[in-house]
Amino acid sequence: MREDILPSEPRNRTPPLSLGRLHYAWVVAVTGSIAMFCGLGLGRFAFGMLLPSMSASLALSYTQSGILGFANLIGYLVAVLLSPLILPRFGTRLTGTASLFVIAASMLGMAFTTSFPMLCAFYVLTGIGSGGVVLPMMSVMSHWFFPSHRGLALGLVMAGPGFGIILSGFVVPKLLPFFSLLSWQTGWLIFALINIVVACLTFALIRNHPNDVTHSPFGRIPTSPVKNKKKLERSNLKLLVHLGLIFAIYGATYMVYVTFIVTSMVGSYQLSEAAAGGIWAWIGLLSVFSGMLFGWISDHIGRRLGLALAFFFLAIAYLLVGLTDWHLGLYLSIILFGFVVWSVPVIMAACAGDYFGAAAAASALAALTFAFSSGQALGPVAAGYLAELTGDFRISYMVSGIAAFVAIGLALLLQPQKPL
């Protein structure tokens, strides 16, 4: 049995797929990126762009806005908890496809309601669908790529959400009411239709394992033995907790930023919604390259130093909007955040495969993502509460910057990874 095969994952004996000299691993990676465009780009990050118009039409408070974000993360956590049970049985292809249809159904629900409780319920479903896309698309790269190219491949997958941010930044400010639907409801309707199309594409192109298309993983074969454990070992628990704490800090801090930075631009910086949308789109444009860049960097300097470098740039981005109220500081913050936003998830997904082995990568990534999602759930709620007390989000951004520096220290305390 191959060392990097997940034994319990079904192998669909489909005919070999030939695309000239292109290794099918890259087809899987690009398809995963398109799925992530919907799962995260539209399923989560478009929310920050739609939030100002939703808040205005529904008279939502900062706390209610935070609760909506929290609802999404509750759904995401549910998906994370279920993934280790579902993935081995159904595989990435079916799980990812079904999750995209769940996102589409939830967005259709949001497009036809103005009830806050119903919006929360539907956004929980969106979170479930998002988690059901992210974990499979990230963990399957450990099967398709050896460590020499794993970070780069994961960076390509994480380029997808950036295009979702770009689309929402340009499209949302131009949305108009459609029949009885408000502009933000029209947005959810459009995003639902896109999810349906991408779900069909995912089912057509994603494969669970290289054996399904008579390929071997792409990249340089490791010189040291590859772990082939089916499950996480107790000896790895300390490392898993250490990585989970780092990922939780990232989840809390970055979620505060992506949820409320557009609200801050419109409120604190007095920018129009169209101008804020243009700046938001710049985050998306820069983020397209961030995952690939830091994935490549971590492939060469190691995951430990890659994490520390990523959190350094995040800390500066948070503090620029937490400590200043000048527009140049905002623009520099946007550039830095976009430059580094997908770095930590990419490196963490690579860590799951590198430290725990391809077979246990999905379980390790699920545990890490649970910590990440816990941080995401708490961040927006805490930031919304602080904003109610202080009138803006500056304190929240400052706390995020301090937490990012703590994460740098935690990253440097990791043991250097043994070369593969």
Side-chain angles (χ1 to χ4, degrees), residues 49-405:
M49 195 63 225
L50 289 166
L51 184 57
S53 58
M54 290 176 68
S55 297
S57 63
L58 300 177
L60 301 180
S61 66
Y62 285 138
T63 300
Q64 286 177 308
S65 299
I67 290 172
L68 262 178
F70 179 77
N72 182 264
L73 268 300
I74 290 296
Y76 196 89
L77 281 170
V78 170
V80 169
L81 291 172
L82 294 178
S83 287
L85 302 175
I86 293 174
L87 262 179
R89 183 172 182 180
F90 296 104
T92 294
R93 185 187 186 195
L94 291 179
T95 303
T97 300
S99 297
L100 286 165
F101 279 121
V102 168
I103 294 173
S106 66
M107 288 179 172
L108 286 172
M110 287 190 288
F112 293 99
T113 185
T114 55
S115 163
F116 179 72
M118 289 302 297
L119 283 173
C120 288
F122 283 125
Y123 211 37
V124 169
L125 285 179
T126 307
I128 292 174
S130 294
V133 171
V134 173
L135 280 171
M137 297 305 161
M138 297 292 276
S139 63
V140 79
M141 295 303 131
S142 293
H143 294 286
W144 278 98
F145 291 88
F146 285 125
S148 63
H149 289 74
R150 190 172 289 157
L152 179 62
L154 286 162
L156 176 59
V157 172
M158 282 305 298
F163 288 106
I165 294 175
I166 294 170
L167 179 69
S168 63
F170 284 117
V171 170
V172 170
K174 297 179 175 61
L175 291 174
L176 298 172
F178 180 73
F179 289 102
S180 61
L181 299 180
L182 300 170
S183 61
W184 57 267
Q185 292 174 301
T186 304
W188 288 125
L189 178 61
I190 293 172
F191 296 158
L193 297 177
I194 293 173
N195 269 273
I196 292 171
V197 173
V198 173
C200 297
L201 182 69
T202 298
F203 183 79
L205 296 179
I206 285 289
R207 295 295 182 268
N208 298 327
H209 195 277
N211 274 10
D212 296 344
V213 287
T214 65
H215 274 289
S216 59
F218 183 85
R220 294 189 302 273
I221 298 175
T223 56
S224 60
V226 180
K227 297 182 179 73
N228 64 350
K229 298 293 184 181
K230 298 180 186 179
K231 298 180 180 180
L232 296 173
E233 299 173 318
R234 289 186 179 181
S235 59
N236 289 326
L237 183 59
K238 183 178 179 181
L239 173 61
L240 197 63
V241 171
H242 192 152
L243 289 170
L245 182 57
I246 296 171
F247 213 7
I249 292 174
Y250 170 77
T253 59
Y254 111 101
M255 197 61 185
V256 168
Y257 196 96
V258 300
T259 301
F260 296 115
I261 192 62
V262 173
T263 300
S264 294
M265 284 190 275
V266 174
S268 300
Y269 290 90
Q270 300 297 306
L271 297 179
S272 67
E273 189 172 330
I279 295 173
W280 178 251
W282 272 102
I283 292 181
L285 180 62
L286 292 168
S287 74
V288 167
F289 308 101
S290 70
M292 288 182 282
L293 175 62
F294 277 88
W296 178 84
I297 288 172
S298 73
D299 283 341
H300 288 77
I301 69 173
R303 313 303 182 198
R304 169 176 163 264
L305 294 179
L307 281 172
L309 183 63
F311 273 108
F312 174 76
F313 286 116
L314 284 171
I316 301 302
Y318 298 147
L319 292 176
L320 279 171
V321 288
L323 296 174
T324 68
D325 58 359
W326 44 303
H327 284 69
L328 179 58
L330 170 66
Y331 301 145
L332 289 174
S333 173
I334 293 293
I335 292 171
L336 283 175
F337 185 78
F339 173 68
V340 78
V341 59
W342 305 135
S343 57
V344 177
V346 165
I347 296 173
M348 281 294 176
C351 284
D354 293 356
Y355 284 113
F356 306 104
S363 296
L365 188 57
L368 292 174
T369 305
F370 181 82
F372 166 64
S373 302
S374 299
Q376 284 183 293
L378 294 174
V381 174
Y385 176 73
L386 286 174
E388 292 283 358
L389 296 178
T390 62
D392 59 34
F393 294 96
R394 287 187 192 175
I395 299 244
S396 299
Y397 297 137
M398 288 173 59
V399 172
S400 296
I402 294 169
F405 276 113

